[in-house]
Amino acid sequence: MRMKSLALLLALAGSVRAQSYRPAPENLAARQWFEDNRFGMFIHWGVYSVLGDGEWVMNNRQMTVAEYERLAPRFDPEQFDPAAWVALAKSAGMRYITFTTKHHDGFAMWRTSRNHWNIVDATPYRKDVVKMLAEECRRQGIKLFLYHSQLDWHNPDYFPLGQTGHASDRPPGGDFNKYLDFMNAQLRELLTGYGPIAGVWFDGMWDKPDADWHLEKTYSMIHALQPAALVGSNHHRAPYPGEDFQMFEKDLPGQHTQEFNGTSTIGSLPLETCDTINGAWGYNSKDTHFKSSRELIQYLVRAAGDNANFLLNIGPKPDGTIQPEFVERLHAMGAWLARNGDTIYGTRGGPVPPRNWGVTTRKAGKVYVHVLDWPDEVLALPRLEGIRGARLFPGGAKVETAQVPGATLVRLPAGARDPVDTIVELDMAE
Ligand code: JFZ
């Protein structure tokens, strides 16, 4: 009886603790920084890059662990230049990098002491890529988030298997709690040996959504080691206690063009949406279906209008270089942001909810109307009160507005039309 009530009490205490996550002041400041900066670079890079067929190649080609391990001796990215990668991100106007420290194949891109399945011990390259990148990010003043897969196709204790990784030919059996200890130990290495980490971007919980992941333990360890680190997870569900931002994959928040976003709803945390430049996350040599610079800029603007960050992916080649199609688009985005960044950075979603023609963003005393798909010379907005002035951004040519019952009309000057984004800056009474 006494034992029972003790167990009950402990369980209760556990759940109360989980419910009562209070982000530290540094964490709240980091959330604000995150929302103010809006644009990040996602990087998918690992031994899978060798085959040029995406990061799911082990699963898709039904490779066993033994077969897949043979890729590591071929991964020798001699041309990896972290300074050039970080400079590329900065030239695109990106303010942070989210790097795959471990993807579903379990391969660690840093010197881990937990196994030999890592870049230092298993490849001829032998250098700690996470360390090189972290140092360069610090040098160039860009924040580093760590992508980390909870799903692991390589570790024998990731058992029972979930929805994927069935051809890996591992011995059946294994202790899932032992796997979680391994994962937490690896995360501890990452959060103690690589300087300030802006956040951890978890992925793969969707593989076994109803297993007991002991999230509270992992999340509170991260927050104890680095209180400002933002925790987020790509589980496609409403945020769990201990998470600091909410992410969407290949969809603007709340949209459901992807099957796996079927039930996602928007919570109250900072938002981020991620997407690819072609269709692939990890390097895919055959995928030449590149989005245009215009599409990518418009996606960034739509995300900002939805009050969300945009995390745009590149999949570098196995030799460490980045294909010119990616570089070209990133440079175009950077050039656009150099002119128009004031209407994106430091803003929040604006007073007019996203429309087919475009979106609005806002900051102190300003509303920016982003016309992406120009409907007509006259744009009818739901009525906005307190407009003190209106002009084109940039340039400042005067824009006429008129208040009519139930609407604010904005007349876009003939000749002002910008095929990417025609921006009208409104001065607002505060
Ligand atoms: C995940 C990864 O699987 C993918 O490799 C990439 O890293 C991306 C950013 O995140 O993508 C998913 C996650 C879940 C599903 C599909 C793709 N799902 O639930 O079908």
Side-chain angles (χ1 to χ4, degrees):
M1 180 64 191
R2 193 178 270 168
M3 282 303 287
K4 240 189 193 163
S5 51
L6 186 66
L8 197 72
L9 204 70
L10 285 174
L12 210 66
S15 71
V16 166
R17 193 154 21 104
Q19 299 309 313
S20 64
Y21 166 59
R22 290 272 174 280
E26 303 92 301
N27 190 282
L28 295 175
R31 293 181 187 191
Q32 220 170 66
W33 179 92
F34 184 69
E35 290 193 286
D36 281 343
N37 285 282
R38 283 292 180 239
F39 191 26
M41 172 181 274
F42 211 171
I43 304 179
H44 276 70
W45 202 44
V47 285
Y48 46 78
S49 308
V50 165
L51 294 178
D53 194 13
E55 75 290 354
W56 273 66
V57 66
M58 176 178 176
N59 182 83
N60 294 350
R61 293 196 194 166
Q62 311 210 327
M63 298 167 79
T64 63
V65 165
E67 283 167 345
Y68 191 79
E69 282 184 347
R70 277 178 227 138
L71 294 179
R74 294 166 56 188
F75 188 46
D76 191 12
E78 279 184 335
Q79 297 186 62
F80 171 52
D81 180 355
W85 285 21
V86 176
L88 176 64
K90 288 187 76 171
S91 75
M94 292 158 156
R95 301 285 177 82
Y96 59 98
I97 289 177
T98 305
F99 182 69
T100 47
T101 55
K102 184 191 92 163
H103 207 268
H104 308 334
D105 63 3
F107 186 81
M109 294 293 278
W110 76 100
R111 180 199 292 275
T112 177
S113 67
R114 312 310 299 187
N115 63 21
H116 289 277
W117 187 226
N118 71 76
I119 182 116
V120 174
D121 294 318
T123 77
Y125 191 59
R126 302 197 62 81
K127 288 193 242 174
D128 186 330
V129 156
V130 173
K131 177 154 261 148
M132 293 164 78
L133 198 58
E135 279 168 4
E136 198 53 47
C137 284
R138 206 160 329 131
R139 206 168 291 138
Q140 296 193 42
I142 195 162
K143 295 207 188 217
L144 180 64
F145 285 70
L146 308 178
Y147 169 105
H148 202 80
S149 174
Q150 294 157 293
L151 159 61
D152 193 316
W153 294 329
H154 186 274
N155 189 306
D157 283 314
Y158 187 89
F159 188 86
L161 295 178
Q163 298 162 33
T164 64
H166 292 267
S168 64
D169 192 32
R170 298 182 309 192
D175 176 351
F176 191 56
N177 285 325
K178 207 171 137 209
Y179 168 73
L180 293 177
D181 288 343
F182 158 86
M183 185 185 82
N184 289 334
Q186 286 206 321
L187 285 165
R188 180 180 290 276
E189 292 179 342
L190 288 167
L191 287 148
T192 52
Y194 297 85
I197 296 302
V200 182
W201 205 103
F202 282 110
D203 187 24
M205 194 184 138
W206 47 263
D207 184 59
K208 299 209 277 185
D210 300 317
D212 190 349
W213 290 90
H214 298 282
L215 290 182
E216 206 269 333
K217 191 171 172 194
T218 301
Y219 292 175
S220 60
M221 177 189 80
I222 294 169
H223 288 136
L225 293 172
Q226 298 214 24
L230 302 179
V231 171
S233 178
N234 190 29
H235 43 51
H236 303 152
R237 292 180 166 186
Y240 286 84
E243 294 175 5
D244 304 304
F245 69 106
Q246 184 181 7
M247 58 184 72
F248 295 84
E249 180 182 345
K250 286 184 170 284
D251 253 331
L252 290 166
Q255 290 197 352
H256 301 109
T257 69
Q258 306 290 327
E259 204 183 320
F260 50 67
N261 289 333
T263 57
S264 68
T265 51
I266 303 172
S268 56
L269 297 175
L271 307 174
E272 178 186 72
T273 177
C274 58
D275 211 342
T276 48
I277 294 181
N278 51 6
W281 299 101
Y283 176 57
N284 185 324
S285 59
K286 299 212 176 63
D287 186 343
T288 55
H289 200 75
F290 301 105
K291 297 174 184 74
S292 66
S293 302
R294 173 176 183 266
E295 276 177 276
L296 292 168
I297 293 165
Q298 292 196 339
Y299 205 84
L300 171 69
V301 174
R302 285 207 184 267
D306 264 331
N307 206 31
N309 288 17
F310 185 28
L311 182 64
L312 178 60
N313 182 74
I314 60 166
K317 292 185 178 184
D319 67 1
T321 61
I322 295 165
Q323 61 192 96
E325 295 89 346
F326 291 167
V327 173
E328 183 193 315
R329 284 158 179 80
L330 293 177
H331 284 160
M333 296 184 84
W336 186 87
L337 276 165
R339 276 166 64 81
N340 302 298
D342 280 348
T343 70
I344 302 291
Y345 301 122
T347 67
R348 298 293 183 270
V352 180
R355 296 286 194 249
N356 286 334
W357 54 257
V359 298
T360 55
T361 56
R362 67 176 162 83
K363 60 168 67 155
K366 304 282 185 196
V367 166
Y368 298 102
V369 182
H370 295 266
V371 186
L372 303 171
D373 207 349
W374 182 294
D376 202 341
E377 262 78 62
V378 178
L379 195 63
L381 309 178
R383 195 173 154 112
L384 296 176
E385 302 299 338
I387 298 176
R388 296 287 149 87
R391 70 190 70 82
L392 283 177
F393 187 98
K398 188 173 165 21
V399 168
E400 278 179 62
T401 63
Q403 299 292 74
V404 298
T408 295
L409 304 180
V410 179
R411 182 199 292 279
L412 303 165
R417 183 180 193 146
D418 182 319
V420 176
D421 183 5
T422 309
I423 306 171
V424 177
E425 179 181 64
L426 304 176
D427 293 326
M428 307 301 290
E430 289 202 64

